[in-house]
Amino acid sequence: MAGTIESVSTINSFLRTLIAIVVLGGAGTAGWYGFTAFNAKELEAQAKAKLLAEAEGKLAQAESDLTAAKADIVAKAATIDKLNVEVEKLNTSLKLLKVDHRVAKLTVLDQTKDDATGQTTTTVEFVELNDEGQPIDAPRKFSIPGDTVYVDGWVVKFDDKYIESADLERGTSLIVFKRLFGSNQKPDEGFPLDKEGAAPTAYARGGQMSDFERKIFDDFWSIANDDAKAAELGIRAAHGDAPYIKAQKGKTYKILLRASDGPSIQLDEPVNR
């Protein structure tokens, strides 16, 4: 009997504990739902505030990136503009270096051959020109022994920096024609061409030498043999030059002087394209 009563008591104690747990659990659940319901709006506001803060941060970063990109574009545009100026300057410099000035014309009036000696004689007309292609003196005729005509002269070439900057005195090479001679003739026996005080230049001064040019040509060989003296005048080379052409009767040849170089001879005829 005593054992039965003890068992009943134990069961009752268990039931009471279970009921207490159920009651407490229900109360806790109700409390949680109550807390959640009570704070739902605040939690929602906090979540929205967090999302807004994240969005504002992303927007600020995007604006910062955009500002940096704009600054980079501006800097690159400035660099491109600077490079374009340098390219244009370089192109202009290259054009100036390659400018050819027409300084003389050689016309082959006649060409005959002596049957007895077999020697050819070439009759030519030579005239110096200014930059407009107009004669600076009367044309002169010469009978040249041989069929190849040499045009000999003194040439002065200036440092490229003067050519590139279109320096008034040193913006192009200079030439003074000294003589014509043929293939069957010694150079020293050639026909003199130079006239006192006359020299075609790039500035169309009517063939009249400037004081600067006169200073150079009056002391030409001294300058050619003195690097220091040449450098003082901006000269990179001073020497004789004698381009030549195997002449043909009826042909006219133009003698050109490149701004950065020496003379050349070209056929003076229209080019058919």
Side-chain angles (χ1 to χ4, degrees):
M1 184 68 177
T4 302
I5 293 173
E6 186 177 348
S7 296
V8 171
S9 177
T10 301
I11 292 171
N12 288 337
S13 177
F14 171 75
L15 289 175
R16 285 196 298 271
T17 301
L18 180 61
I19 291 171
I21 290 172
V22 171
V23 171
L24 289 173
T29 302
W32 166 253
Y33 281 110
F35 176 81
T36 301
F38 182 78
N39 293 284
K41 291 183 178 181
E42 183 178 351
L43 292 174
E44 183 180 357
Q46 289 177 352
K48 288 181 178 180
K50 182 179 179 182
L51 291 174
L52 180 60
E54 291 176 352
E56 289 176 343
K58 291 180 179 179
L59 179 60
Q61 183 61 49
E63 290 177 344
S64 177
D65 292 343
L66 180 59
T67 300
K70 287 181 177 179
D72 186 52
I73 291 173
V74 170
K76 287 181 178 178
T79 300
I80 290 172
D81 289 342
K82 184 177 179 180
L83 289 174
N84 285 335
V85 170
E86 291 298 321
V87 168
E88 185 64 28
K89 184 178 178 181
L90 179 60
N91 286 335
T92 300
S93 297
L94 291 175
K95 288 179 181 178
L96 290 172
L97 289 171
K98 295 178 180 179
V99 169
D100 287 322
H101 303 285
R102 185 166 175 158
V103 290
K105 182 171 68 173
L106 183 74
T107 303
V108 183
L109 302 176
D110 197 9
Q111 199 167 52
T112 60
K113 186 174 182 178
D114 189 315
D115 292 334
T117 63
Q119 178 172 299
T120 298
T121 299
T122 302
T123 303
V124 301
E125 180 182 83
F126 179 86
V127 61
E128 295 184 51
L129 309 173
N130 62 20
D131 252 12
E132 281 72 43
Q134 300 301 314
I136 62 174
D137 59 4
R140 289 173 282 174
K141 293 182 181 180
F142 303 95
S143 292
I144 308 294
D147 60 0
T148 301
V149 180
Y150 293 76
V151 184
D152 186 23
W154 289 352
V155 178
V156 175
K157 303 174 185 178
F158 295 102
D159 291 332
D160 286 348
K161 64 181 180 181
Y162 296 110
I163 315 299
E164 293 169 357
S165 63
D167 184 90
L168 290 179
E169 293 283 21
R170 292 164 287 201
T172 182
S173 296
L174 303 174
I175 188 169
V176 167
F177 293 108
K178 303 302 290 184
R179 59 195 164 192
L180 287 180
F181 61 92
S183 50
N184 295 335
Q185 187 178 25
K186 294 179 180 180
D188 289 343
E189 297 174 351
F191 301 95
L193 292 174
D194 56 321
K195 287 186 176 183
E196 182 66 26
T201 71
Y203 306 107
R205 289 190 282 257
Q208 295 302 312
M209 280 189 180
S210 67
D211 291 340
F212 179 69
E213 292 167 347
R214 189 179 300 280
K215 177 181 178 181
I216 292 173
F217 287 112
D218 283 350
D219 199 24
F220 184 79
W221 290 119
S222 175
I223 293 170
N225 287 282
D226 189 330
D227 286 342
K229 188 177 291 186
E232 183 180 345
L233 295 168
I235 295 172
R236 67 178 176 86
H239 54 78
D241 203 334
Y244 60 91
I245 188 76
K246 191 175 181 67
Q248 293 184 9
K249 182 179 178 178
K251 299 289 186 180
T252 297
Y253 304 93
K254 55 188 175 183
I255 301 170
L256 305 174
L257 181 67
R258 176 147 291 192
S260 59
D261 200 10
S264 60
I265 298 178
Q266 296 180 14
L267 191 63
D268 190 13
E269 290 183 354
V271 177
N272 296 322
R273 297 293 183 184

